[in-house]
Amino acid sequence: MAYLQINSQHFFSNYHQIAQFIGQENIHKIAIVLKDNAYGHGLKEMAQLAKEAKITTCFVKNTKEALEIAAMFRHITILYPQSLEDKEALQQCLKQDNIYFCVASLEALKLYPKQTKIELEINSGMNRNGIQAQQLQEAFEIINKRELELIGVFSHNGFGDDFGSEFYTQNNEFLMVKKKVLELCNQYSFKKPRFHFFSSSGALRAVRYNESLPLELQDDLFRIGIAFYGYLCQDIRFCGLNVKPIASLWARKISTYFLKKGSRIGYGGVSETKEDTLVSSYDVGYGDGLFRLREGMELKTKEGFKIYPRSSMDCLSIQGDREELCIIEDANPWAEAFGTIPYEILVHLQPTIPKKIV
Ligand SMILES: *Cc1c(COP(=O)(O)O)cnc(C)c1O
């Protein structure tokens, strides 16, 4: 059976590097993003490692994910509470003191009963999710009237990976939002909510900027996802951390053949052996969420063996006859081959793939 190996040492090393960069005095600001089955790594498994690292705040995708790890964190925020139609899970989440709901529109504010703990999302320039800054007053009015509890106000910086001024324009936009929120808190006698804005790339770029702000305007959290999993998709000049991928995908042999030069393999026989060689099949395929190798794609296992296109739904053909092979050690070459980013390669891995923490 194929499995995903999670290297806990790499995880703790990544955490340590992030913590050092962010600074010991800010260590409590590190939150881990565990959405979408922890980017395919296994929600429970990653939550356990995060707990061992003494991380107390996390972000998940939906109500089910929140409930699965409810006992493991002090603060759990559901990023997309409406993405799952599960009334029972919703009711259970509403009862939990440590579970908060992201709200991205004025209409969504009206979905929740009294005392629901919410985090209000603001659009600061990505034009994706969140209310407009001009709607803040109205949002506070609704929150007050409906007696919701405002835990946080946040936005998302969409330019952390790129050189250019948009990153700073967005920082300024969110700074304005924070000032306005403090005024409104005064006006409505709300407790100051927590502020957060940066994901991995932004946080690693803007820690010092954040520290330069007056205390009450600083962000209280950094929402770190991909850096924990061992990838940085930004220019190395921004921070120079040496995070390492924590997941590797392994598969086991099903059958082996000795094939003469010129033999053809798999669907359509698109691969042809260039010499007499051993070829084996291994038990992972696109049905397990691994992207489907097509003709023309050149990918190798960690051990350096050629993977023969085309992939099948549940298996791959690979040169050699080893019992077990590491299919992916680093998602970057896969991302390149498929014209995407490591996030997408990883998050597609099916939750049913067993996880082994080493
Ligand atoms: C996914 C996500 C993050 C984490 O982003 P990374 O690039 O993986 O660090 C942070 N905030 C929000 C709102 C997200 O959806």
Side-chain angles (χ1 to χ4, degrees):
M1 192 167 32
Y3 63 93
L4 199 64
Q5 183 169 295
I6 306 289
N7 187 318
S8 57
Q9 260 166 7
H10 285 189
F11 174 79
F12 291 116
S13 156
N14 295 346
Y15 172 61
H16 187 69
Q17 289 183 56
I18 297 163
Q20 275 213 321
F21 193 87
I22 282 178
Q24 209 57 34
E25 65 287 0
N26 291 321
I27 208 163
H28 60 283
K29 294 190 176 180
I30 298 176
I32 186 167
V33 179
L34 296 172
K35 67 186 179 197
D36 296 279
N37 193 34
Y39 295 34
H41 291 63
L43 176 61
K44 275 260 171 70
E45 289 79 4
M46 290 310 305
Q48 183 56 39
L49 290 176
K51 189 166 178 252
E52 284 170 33
K54 301 199 165 49
I55 296 168
T56 58
T57 305
C58 74
F59 290 80
V60 296
K61 175 158 173 161
N62 56 37
T63 47
K64 261 193 159 152
E65 286 196 340
L67 291 173
E68 250 186 77
I69 54 161
M72 301 169 80
F73 293 90
R74 207 149 70 218
H75 311 278
I76 299 168
T77 300
I78 304 173
L79 288 167
Y80 295 97
Q82 268 77 55
S83 63
L84 200 64
E85 287 211 19
D86 186 330
K87 291 210 175 74
E88 195 163 319
L90 174 64
Q91 287 312 317
Q92 262 180 287
C93 284
L94 285 168
K95 281 190 219 139
Q96 293 264 354
D97 227 30
N98 59 339
I99 297 182
Y100 319 139
F101 297 79
C102 281
V103 175
S105 69
L106 292 179
E107 297 73 54
L109 274 175
K110 297 167 188 163
L111 296 175
Y112 295 102
K114 270 186 192 180
Q115 261 114 48
T116 302
K117 296 179 153 121
I118 60 151
E119 296 215 66
L120 186 61
E121 181 163 14
I122 318 291
N123 174 26
S124 60
M126 234 181 132
N127 299 322
R128 186 182 70 169
N129 297 328
I131 67 163
Q132 301 291 26
Q134 304 87 287
Q135 296 176 306
L136 268 169
Q137 172 97 42
E138 203 181 332
F140 268 70
E141 191 57 46
I142 300 170
I143 292 167
N144 191 45
K145 206 160 91 203
R146 300 188 65 91
E147 296 177 46
L148 303 172
E149 189 181 340
L150 184 64
I151 296 284
V153 172
F154 75 104
S155 187
H156 191 65
N157 194 305
F159 299 94
D161 292 330
D162 314 303
F163 277 111
S165 61
E166 290 96 340
F167 181 72
Y168 302 99
T169 311
Q170 249 203 301
N171 287 352
N172 274 333
E173 187 62 31
F174 190 54
L175 185 60
M176 297 300 168
V177 166
K178 289 191 277 193
K179 288 179 179 163
K180 181 81 187 155
V181 166
L182 292 184
E183 276 173 35
L184 287 166
C185 283
N186 245 333
Q187 190 184 325
Y188 285 89
S189 305
F190 288 179
K191 214 173 75 193
K192 176 196 164 298
R194 60 185 199 178
F195 293 135
H196 42 104
F197 185 41
F198 294 113
S199 56
S200 300
S201 54
L204 294 170
R205 216 172 139 182
V207 189
R208 303 288 99 82
Y209 156 77
N210 190 51
E211 282 175 341
S212 74
L213 299 173
L215 211 55
E216 77 275 11
L217 289 172
Q218 289 185 12
D219 285 2
D220 301 291
L221 283 182
F222 300 116
R223 304 183 305 262
I224 310 284
I226 201 75
F228 269 123
Y229 303 104
Y231 295 86
L232 280 176
C233 300
Q234 66 183 175
D235 197 297
I236 187 121
R237 278 166 287 180
F238 285 138
C239 72
L241 292 196
N242 181 26
V243 292
K244 291 208 183 76
I246 64 172
S248 52
L249 179 66
W250 295 75
R252 296 207 177 108
K253 191 171 77 174
I254 304 168
S255 304
T256 299
Y257 304 96
F258 175 77
L259 297 181
K260 289 267 188 225
K261 178 179 171 183
S263 302
R264 295 167 71 182
I265 303 163
Y267 284 110
V270 298
S271 283
E272 200 175 299
T273 52
K274 300 228 162 39
E275 64 211 335
D276 293 358
T277 184
L278 287 169
V279 173
S280 304
S281 61
Y282 291 84
D283 59 359
V284 68
Y286 64 85
D288 301 288
L290 186 65
F291 279 31
R292 176 178 166 273
L293 251 68
R294 304 181 297 272
E295 41 276 49
M297 290 181 162
E298 299 264 344
L299 282 166
K300 288 189 167 157
T301 68
K302 173 190 173 184
E303 300 81 1
F305 298 113
K306 180 180 165 59
I307 306 175
Y308 292 106
R310 302 165 180 161
S311 307
S312 296
M313 193 181 289
D314 298 294
C315 58
L316 296 173
S317 292
I318 300 174
Q319 195 176 32
D321 66 345
R322 294 238 192 136
E323 281 307 313
E324 190 173 90
L325 287 174
C326 179
I327 309 297
I328 300 184
E329 186 194 29
D330 177 345
N332 276 307
W334 285 74
E336 261 167 53
F338 288 94
T340 184
I341 51 178
Y343 295 74
E344 196 186 7
I345 301 291
L346 295 166
V347 79
H348 273 263
L349 298 174
Q350 293 277 4
T352 46
I353 298 177
K355 313 296 183 299
K356 270 196 201 175
I357 300 185
V358 296

